[in-house]
Amino acid sequence: MDSTVRFILSLSIGFAVIIGIVRFRRIDPSYYPFLFNCSVALTVEILNWWLTQEGHPDAFILVQNIFSYLDFYLFLWLFHNWGLFNRKKSTFIAIASVFFVIWLLEGLLSTGFVKHNVYFFTLYSFALIFFSVSTFNKAVVNERISIFKNPKFWICIGLIIFYSFFILVVVTSISLFNVKVSKEFRRGLWAISVYSNLLVNLLYAVAAIWVPRKKNFTSLF
């Protein structure tokens, strides 16, 4: 697939960003991490295109490694806001700290941040899928709102789809598996991941539409 077409399709995350900007002042603040993540993802896609056009594709690896932790942290913050960890700030901080240490150690001791932190990518992808499944189950059981009007549903489905394909792509790039996976198969996975990314970006846009308004509290007196 042509790189220009990939770039154009990747900009579909901009739909969620635009909707988020328009509705930002009126939406529930607990969803801010989701909108922040979409905005950062859009910035990274544009930066990737610019670095590639300027002849510095290797520099983008550092950007991707930095974004990998930001991506995990913002979604972890979102799940914390949703009450997945019983709103215990200590649990949120502990998980964020453990994953930061793993990210930092792989970068310093293995990749030097000049190669992809593939093991961290794989680990945090599994974690986000697990968090998404847990949140999805809670939303179905405990929330009365229609599931199709529930932004948690769209976000969790998007996360599960994206990171499932992401794990496949990352695992096949690990040298241990390269000898067993053909180049054609890896190219096919990359092509599928581009379209799955487009689908997920559209799901995020739907989620941004259904993000609830902020709650207004009135005084008793």
Side-chain angles (χ1 to χ4, degrees):
M1 180 183 294
D2 184 78
S3 60
T4 303
V5 176
R6 289 185 179 183
F7 173 64
I8 293 173
L9 293 179
S10 70
L11 294 181
S12 56
I13 188 65
F15 292 128
V17 175
I18 293 171
I19 295 170
I21 291 174
V22 171
R23 302 192 61 220
F24 190 79
R25 293 185 178 182
R26 301 190 300 273
I27 65 171
D28 186 339
S30 68
Y31 285 84
Y32 284 173
F34 167 67
L35 299 179
F36 295 157
N37 186 285
C38 292
S39 300
V40 174
L42 178 60
T43 303
V44 169
E45 293 292 352
I46 295 173
L47 187 59
N48 177 28
W49 174 258
W50 179 78
L51 289 172
T52 303
Q53 294 301 306
E54 292 295 316
H56 305 291
D58 293 340
F60 182 62
I61 295 178
L62 175 61
V63 175
Q64 281 188 314
N65 283 330
I66 294 174
F67 173 69
S68 66
Y69 184 76
L70 286 176
D71 186 39
F72 172 76
Y73 178 83
L74 289 171
F75 276 121
L76 181 70
W77 181 12
L78 179 67
F79 286 119
H80 168 65
N81 288 348
W82 287 347
L84 181 61
F85 314 117
N86 296 320
R87 301 193 182 278
K88 292 183 179 179
K89 193 173 182 179
S90 58
T91 303
F92 164 68
I93 294 174
I95 296 174
S97 300
V98 168
F99 274 80
F100 177 77
V101 170
I102 295 172
W103 173 81
L104 186 63
L105 288 177
E106 184 178 7
L108 293 177
L109 302 179
S110 179
T111 66
F113 294 109
V114 296
K115 296 180 180 179
H116 289 113
N117 288 4
V118 291
Y119 295 104
F120 177 77
F121 286 172
T122 305
L123 179 63
Y124 97 82
S125 297
F126 275 115
L128 291 183
I129 291 173
F130 175 75
F131 296 155
S132 298
V133 172
S134 299
T135 300
F136 178 82
N137 290 336
K138 285 188 175 181
V140 170
V141 173
N142 299 325
E143 299 186 14
R144 296 182 178 180
I145 185 175
S146 170
I147 194 170
F148 298 110
K149 294 183 179 180
N150 191 335
K152 293 180 183 179
F153 167 76
W154 298 109
I155 294 172
C156 288
I157 291 297
L159 286 171
I160 293 170
I161 294 173
F162 179 82
Y163 286 102
S164 295
F165 278 105
F166 187 68
I167 289 172
L168 285 175
V169 172
V170 170
V171 168
T172 55
S173 69
I174 298 176
S175 59
L176 177 64
F177 298 95
N178 278 344
V179 294
K180 299 180 181 180
V181 180
S182 66
K183 292 182 179 179
E184 290 75 16
F185 181 76
R186 288 200 296 272
R187 290 196 193 100
L189 278 181
W190 275 109
I192 294 174
S193 68
V194 171
Y195 291 112
S196 69
N197 186 51
L198 172 62
L199 171 62
V200 170
N201 289 342
L202 296 178
L203 294 180
Y204 287 169
V206 174
I209 292 173
W210 290 114
V211 170
R213 291 174 176 267
K214 64 176 63 175
K215 297 178 181 178
N216 295 319
F217 296 95
T218 56
S219 173
L220 293 176
F221 303 98

